[in-house]
Amino acid sequence: MADGVEFDLGQLSSQQQEALQQYTDVTGQEIKDAVPLLERSQWNVQIAIAKFFDGDGPDLVAEAQAAQDNPPPAAARYENLHESFLDADDDRPRRTRSPRTEAAPRVVPQQPVSIRPRGLLSILLTPFSTTWSLTRGVLVVFGRIISFFFAFLPASFRPRYLGTTIRGLGQAHGRTATLPQEAARRFRREFEEAYGTHGLMFFEGGHAQALDTAKRDLKFFLMVLISPEHDDTDSFIRNTLLSPDVVSYISDPSNNIILWGGNVADPEAHQVANEYSCLKYPFSCLVCLTPKEGSTKMGIVKRLVGPMTPAAYLSGLQDAITKYSPDLNGVRAERAAQEHARNLRNEQDSAYERSLARDRERARQKREAEAAAAAAEKRALEEAERAARQEELRRQWRIWRATTVAPEPDTKDAVRLALNMPASAGGGRVIRRFASDTTLEELYAFVECYGLLQEGPLNEKAAEPEGYEHKYGFQVASVLPRETFHPSKTITIGQKMGRGGSLVVEDLIDEDEEE
């Protein structure tokens, strides 16, 4: 590779590009000089960094290869005959543990609580606040210098706890903390004002909300952190992030990518940068669910740090998504199967409940029908018993009333009546004399008891049944002129008939029988 010629990163694999990115982040060496050194180091980043800082030293790769070619003698091991046969038959492949991905932190922004003194206290504290403002300015400059210095050290020599502290000093001048949704809308508005209309759909919410959405919907979470103070930010966004190929790939719904962006000047994005150990900008990180390492673990599957070509950026995303998509598809299929089983179970439960409801309704109707039939039978039995009692009382009353009917008089002032009896009483024509002072009720009693009077001697000891009120089932009327006579106890036959007459006895019809 000649000097002055730019190296084509498209010739490198994704693992080699990631190793090159890590090496240049630490050493700051030009790519044209870094690639040969990494090739001599078999693309081992730690060995290449050690060679860069130590200068000419022992070739660690050669020593490693020599150690592999001449392994140390194995310690003597004594075994019995049984163990030797087991070792000879054991040809199962040895399983190696795959490297675990780094866990993706879930960042919830911390809302600062400020208490402003009032009145005389604010005047007394004015010198302290001024001193603190000057001190913070000095700390900002000092933090940038220290951060620049530690950026050139190897990761193994860089104090981890100082990274967060130094970055915190460098961002002490950030903007006021707002709600995550407001910060996301502000980032999107400023992004469009600076770079115009674009096809990227940034998530309008906080980092934690976007991470939870990706975890719930089994999507890839791509977060992009930019620093307005970094010289490579503008060129990265215009040439790489907004390149047609990258925009088309990120916006493709089939790739299942949730894009979230943040400006490290905002407190939330600054906190995200601290949690994800971001030391160089622009910074992109791809996160997804890693079911092989835990059913709920969100892991960092790709880091894209610093400026890079659109091809290298897109290649890094494609390699990571291609690698982890089968795992997510498996989880989707499992969730779909569970959802199908749950829906099927719900449908079966619903069908069972409907069948049970129908059975209950039929049982209720059957019980009601049985209860109605039992009630009807009970009413019929009671009515039959009541009718039997009424008939018995009527029979007793007729026997008693027959004994009270006055005998036929043999006087000149007697009223002679001709009675046409109904078919229920045997029919025929009955002629009988009555005393003129005989009431109409006694006439009715004679007609009612006529059959008993014709049968023979009566029981003189018969008594009137208690609580019984007799109702006649017939009526007596004259033919010409037509007049109906009711069983009155005050009106006499003489008043209505004079010396005699012809009467007809008619059976009364009940309303139920008439219907």
Side-chain angles (χ1 to χ4, degrees), residues 312-379:
Y313 191 85
L314 186 59
S315 176
L317 292 179
Q318 290 175 340
D319 292 344
I321 291 178
T322 303
K323 179 180 179 181
Y324 289 93
S325 289
D327 297 341
L328 297 182
N329 292 335
V331 178
R332 291 191 189 97
E334 182 180 355
R335 288 187 181 180
Q338 294 175 354
E339 182 68 18
H340 177 72
R342 182 164 50 252
N343 293 337
L344 182 61
R345 185 167 56 253
N346 292 337
E347 292 178 359
Q348 292 175 349
D349 294 342
S350 179
Y352 173 76
E353 291 295 336
R354 292 194 299 270
S355 176
L356 184 61
R358 288 193 297 267
D359 294 341
R360 290 174 177 172
E361 180 64 18
R362 285 195 292 265
R364 184 187 64 81
Q365 294 177 356
K366 183 178 179 181
R367 290 194 302 269
E368 291 180 354
E370 292 176 352
E377 183 179 0
K378 182 178 180 181
R379 287 195 302 271

Side-chain angles (χ1 to χ4, degrees), residues 21-245:
Q21 187 66 45
Q22 295 178 0
Y23 176 79
T24 56
D25 289 346
V26 175
T27 62
Q29 193 177 17
E30 296 293 335
I31 296 179
K32 63 183 182 65
D33 298 328
V35 172
L37 180 57
L38 285 171
E39 290 178 347
R40 293 195 300 272
S41 304
Q42 300 295 323
W43 293 95
N44 190 310
V45 179
Q46 298 295 335
I47 295 177
I49 293 176
K51 284 185 177 181
F52 177 80
F53 285 103
D54 297 340
D56 294 334
D59 193 348
L60 301 179
V61 176
E63 293 180 359
Q65 291 179 350
Q68 292 180 356
D69 296 338
N70 300 314
R77 179 175 178 270
Y78 299 95
E79 61 182 13
N80 54 31
L81 182 61
H82 177 68
E83 292 178 348
S84 63
F85 279 115
L86 292 178
D87 293 340
D89 294 338
D90 190 6
D91 56 351
R92 293 173 298 178
R94 303 296 181 182
R95 296 179 58 185
T96 58
R97 179 176 298 179
S98 59
R100 297 177 63 88
T101 58
E102 180 183 354
R106 183 179 183 273
V107 180
V108 179
Q110 300 176 357
Q111 300 295 333
V113 180
S114 59
I115 302 177
R116 296 181 177 273
R118 299 179 181 179
L120 181 61
L121 184 59
S122 62
I123 299 176
L124 296 177
L125 295 179
T126 299
F128 297 97
S129 60
T130 305
T131 304
W132 166 245
S133 300
L134 297 176
T135 305
R136 186 176 62 180
V138 175
L139 292 177
V140 168
V141 177
F142 178 74
R144 292 180 179 177
I145 296 174
I146 295 299
S147 178
F148 180 78
F149 171 74
F150 276 106
F152 289 95
L153 292 181
S156 58
F157 296 100
R158 188 186 306 131
R160 185 174 182 85
Y161 69 91
L162 285 177
T164 303
T165 305
I166 292 171
R167 287 191 298 273
L169 293 175
Q171 294 295 336
H173 61 291
R175 293 184 287 193
T176 305
T178 59
L179 296 176
Q181 291 79 5
E182 296 179 1
R185 286 193 291 268
R186 180 171 61 185
F187 173 83
R188 184 173 182 177
R189 182 176 62 255
E190 294 176 350
F191 193 91
E192 293 178 351
E193 292 175 355
Y195 304 103
T197 305
H198 55 85
L200 297 178
M201 296 298 297
F202 287 98
F203 185 84
E204 292 189 358
H207 176 273
Q209 185 180 359
L211 186 69
D212 294 341
T213 303
K215 182 178 181 180
R216 181 194 63 206
D217 299 340
L218 297 176
K219 294 187 176 182
F220 291 93
F221 174 40
L222 176 62
M223 61 177 177
V224 178
L225 297 178
I226 61 175
S227 175
E229 301 177 358
H230 202 281
D231 296 335
D232 298 326
T233 298
D234 187 73
S235 61
F236 168 78
I237 295 177
R238 294 184 184 276
N239 301 329
T240 301
L241 188 61
L242 295 182
S243 65
D245 294 339

Side-chain angles (χ1 to χ4, degrees), residues 280-313:
K280 189 175 182 179
Y281 298 98
F283 175 82
S284 300
C285 183
L286 189 66
V287 177
C288 71
L289 184 69
T290 54
K292 292 183 178 180
E293 301 176 7
S295 59
T296 59
K297 178 188 176 183
M298 297 292 287
I300 301 175
V301 298
K302 189 66 177 179
R303 292 177 182 266
L304 300 171
V305 183
M308 58 181 61
T309 62
Y313 191 85

